Amino acid sequence: MLNSPHNKGNAHHNIARHLDAAGIEPPAGIIRAVDIDLALGVTSTIGVHPGLRAGITGTMTPAKCAAALKLAAADLLAQERASQLRNDVQPDLDSIARRALHADADRILTDLRPRFAEAVAQVRAVVDMFGTLNPPSDIRNAPGLVDLVNRSTSAQEYLRHVRTVRLDLADVGYGPATEDPTWWIVNTHDLDNAPARLVDIIAAGIEVRPNTLAEMSELTAARLAEQERLAVKRA
C-alpha cells in the first residue's frame, strides 16, 4: 500500500474519521485497527500509582512510602514502555486499515452515491439560479434565496468530505494515484474538457458519480477506442 503524506501518521484514525464525515460505515478492518489502538492507548496512559502521594500526605510510615515509591516507579516504567510499543505498532495498524479500505472500496463508492447525488443537485440548483457557484452577497441574502444558498454551501462541504475519501482511496492504490476526472465523470466525451475541481465539473453540468475501479477502466478504455477510431478516420 502507498504511504502518502495525505495519510501521514495514524492513517487508521484518519481514514475512519474521513469515512464518518462522508456518512460511510468504515470496513471492519479499519474499525478493528482503531479499536486496538484505543485499547492500547488506555494501557499506555496509566497514571502514577495513587498510593505514593496519598501516603506522603497522609499517615503512611516511611517504609511503606518507600514501597509505594517502588510501585509508582514500576507503573511509570510500564507506562513508558507501553507508550513506546504502541508507537511501534502504528504502522501495522495503518497497514490493516489501508488493506481494508482497498478491499472495500467498491462498496464505499457505491454507498456514497445517494447522498453524493443529492449534494450535486443542491450545487447545480444554485448555478442554475445565479449562473455561478458564488453569487454576490446582496443576491445570496435576498429573501427566499438564503436557504437555497445555504443548502448549496452544505452540499459543497459534503463534497469536500467525499473528495477526501477518494484521496484516501488513491493513497492505497485504488485507481489513479492523483486526482483525475475518471474518478467522477460518467461519459467519455466529457473527460478531456472537464475542469480540474469536482465542484467545477458539477457547475459545468457534467454528469458525475463516484466511479468504481471497473467503471474507471471502462471509461478509459472507451476514450482510447474513440481516439484510435478518430486516428484511423484522419489517416
Side-chain angles (χ1 to χ4, degrees):
M1 300 297 177
L2 300 178
N3 188 9
S4 163
H6 177 65
N7 272 336
K8 186 177 181 181
N10 292 328
H12 49 293
H13 284 290
N14 292 339
I15 294 170
R17 186 174 64 254
H18 297 161
L19 289 170
D20 181 68
I24 299 299
E25 177 72 16
I30 295 175
I31 294 174
R32 170 177 162 78
V34 170
D35 286 348
I36 289 174
D37 193 36
L38 292 176
L40 295 179
V42 171
T43 302
S44 62
T45 55
I46 300 171
V48 175
H49 196 278
L52 177 60
R53 283 181 174 167
I56 291 173
T57 58
T59 58
M60 188 180 290
T61 65
K64 288 185 177 180
C65 284
L69 175 64
K70 290 182 179 179
L71 289 174
D75 283 348
L76 183 60
L77 288 172
Q79 177 182 338
E80 291 176 350
R81 184 56 178 156
S83 180
Q84 179 184 344
L85 289 173
R86 183 191 182 196
N87 289 334
D88 289 346
V89 302
Q90 292 302 306
D92 301 288
L93 297 176
D94 287 350
S95 181
I96 290 171
R98 288 189 169 104
R99 287 197 300 270
L101 180 66
H102 191 283
D104 211 18
D106 286 357
R107 189 274 301 177
I108 290 168
L109 291 168
T110 300
D111 286 355
L112 282 170
R113 289 183 179 178
R115 189 171 171 187
F116 179 88
E118 292 175 5
V120 168
Q122 296 293 346
V123 171
R124 283 189 176 150
V126 164
V127 175
D128 291 343
M129 174 68 70
F130 304 111
T132 176
L133 281 168
N134 300 299
S137 59
D138 58 331
I139 296 176
R140 64 190 296 135
N141 293 326
L145 298 178
V146 174
D147 286 346
L148 176 66
V149 174
N150 287 344
R151 286 195 299 271
S152 176
T153 300
S154 297
Q156 291 180 57
E157 178 65 20
Y158 175 72
L159 291 171
R160 283 190 283 271
H161 292 312
V162 172
R163 177 180 176 272
T164 299
V165 169
R166 193 58 191 80
L167 288 169
D168 286 339
L169 290 172
D171 285 343
V172 301
Y174 186 92
T178 57
E179 192 161 6
D180 191 273
T182 59
W183 288 5
W184 315 112
I185 290 176
V186 174
N187 299 308
T188 306
H189 62 265
D190 291 321
L191 280 176
D192 294 325
N193 299 315
R197 296 195 313 156
L198 172 59
V199 70
D200 291 330
I201 296 173
I202 294 169
I206 296 172
E207 186 177 359
V208 290
R209 72 185 172 205
N211 283 329
T212 66
L213 188 59
E215 289 163 345
M216 286 186 287
S217 297
E218 291 173 4
L219 196 64
T220 302
R223 176 168 61 178
L224 179 60
E226 179 63 15
Q227 289 171 346
E228 291 175 347
R229 187 188 68 80
L230 291 175
V232 169
K233 185 177 180 179
R234 288 192 298 266

